[in-house]
Amino acid sequence: MQLFQSPASPFVRKVVVTLHETSQTGDVELVMVTTTPVDSASEILPHNPTGKIPTLSRPDGPALYDSRVICRYLDARAGGKLYRDARIWDTLTLEATGDAIMDAAVSMTYERRVRPEEKQFDGWIEAQWGKIARSLDTLNSRWMSHLNGPLDMGQISVGCALGYLDLRHDARGWRNGHDALTRWYETFAQRPSMQATRPA
Ligand SMILES: N[C@@H](CCC(=O)N[C@@H](CS)C(=O)NCC(=O)O)C(=O)O
């Protein structure tokens, strides 16, 4: 299988962390691409019409996208320990929360890096940060018991989202007012899967 990827993408990191956590790194070749909302990588388009990463091509069926589909596929392929039936709705909602932080944070990055300066919209960027700030409050106040439980895809998504905030939006200081989440992330970020996928 081939994973179209770029190491700075938090959505890609979810997938690669999942490969590590399920001992499948040897089954997937990582193919580096550069793709943006206004310039899709041509290598991806035959597999994924949206041009987005991560995209996983596989020999026995159509390519898979987006990260939620790929992670669930890889987990099922490895025996299914990251989406446990007993708490599936919580796991999926936590994964969606991590993904929503990534969506907003990646959008903020694109606004500054891809959109021409004269068209950039500060109010829109602040509204994206508002989504992130509210999500951080919710994680810190309602989700710590789940985050501190057995490893699942919700935790992986939140861990990758927080890692991306450090990478691209460090100046926002996401840790302020989120002590429990900060403590959890300090430990989670030490996992070998997270250490092996740290963006440069
Ligand atoms: N919902 C998608 C989001 C993927 C995504 O937005 N990836 C970004 C890179 S971080 C991308 O490919 N951007 C190019 C584009 O928007 O066309 C997922 O979970 O995989």
Side-chain angles (χ1 to χ4, degrees):
M1 296 187 286
Q2 287 188 316
L3 181 69
F4 295 94
Q5 60 94 30
S6 168
S9 163
F11 299 103
V12 165
R13 191 177 187 192
K14 267 177 74 187
V15 172
V16 183
V17 167
T18 301
L19 287 172
H20 281 272
E21 294 288 356
T22 58
S23 304
Q24 297 183 90
T25 51
D27 296 348
V28 176
E29 177 195 355
L30 302 183
V31 180
M32 173 75 188
V33 294
T34 302
T35 193
T36 78
V38 295
D39 189 11
S40 296
S42 58
E43 308 95 297
I44 304 176
L45 293 177
H47 306 283
N48 175 356
T50 72
K52 293 190 181 191
I53 51 174
T55 295
L56 182 74
S57 73
R58 53 194 180 124
D60 52 347
L64 301 180
Y65 50 89
D66 59 21
S67 65
R68 280 186 229 186
V69 177
I70 297 172
C71 289
R72 198 145 182 183
Y73 167 78
L74 291 173
D75 182 55
R77 190 173 182 267
K81 63 173 187 175
L82 297 175
Y83 292 95
R84 299 229 182 247
D85 284 348
R87 53 177 192 172
I88 188 63
W89 303 115
D90 288 357
T91 298
L92 291 172
T93 302
L94 190 58
E95 182 179 12
T97 306
D99 286 12
I101 292 173
M102 293 181 205
D103 271 327
V106 167
S107 298
M108 290 169 68
T109 305
Y110 283 147
E111 185 73 9
R112 289 285 182 235
R113 293 190 170 196
V114 176
R115 201 182 290 281
E117 202 171 338
E118 69 279 8
K119 294 184 177 160
Q120 292 177 14
F121 180 15
D122 290 344
W124 191 87
I125 290 178
E126 291 313 309
Q128 298 305 308
W129 183 255
K131 293 176 196 292
I132 295 169
R134 290 191 299 272
S135 299
L136 294 170
D137 290 348
T138 300
L139 291 172
N140 196 69
S141 61
R142 291 195 213 146
W143 284 95
M144 292 319 303
S145 162
H146 188 120
L147 284 168
N148 284 313
L151 180 70
D152 71 359
M153 191 52 62
Q155 296 172 15
I156 292 174
S157 177
V158 170
C160 293
L162 298 179
Y164 186 77
L165 295 182
D166 279 346
L167 178 71
R168 294 284 190 241
H169 303 294
D170 194 32
R172 296 271 181 174
W174 71 261
R175 288 172 177 77
N176 295 338
H178 303 118
D179 292 350
L181 190 60
T182 298
R183 281 194 299 277
W184 172 80
Y185 182 66
E186 269 167 26
T187 302
F188 191 80
Q190 297 310 313
R191 295 185 75 85
S193 61
M194 291 293 284
Q195 290 288 316
T197 57
R198 277 178 62 173

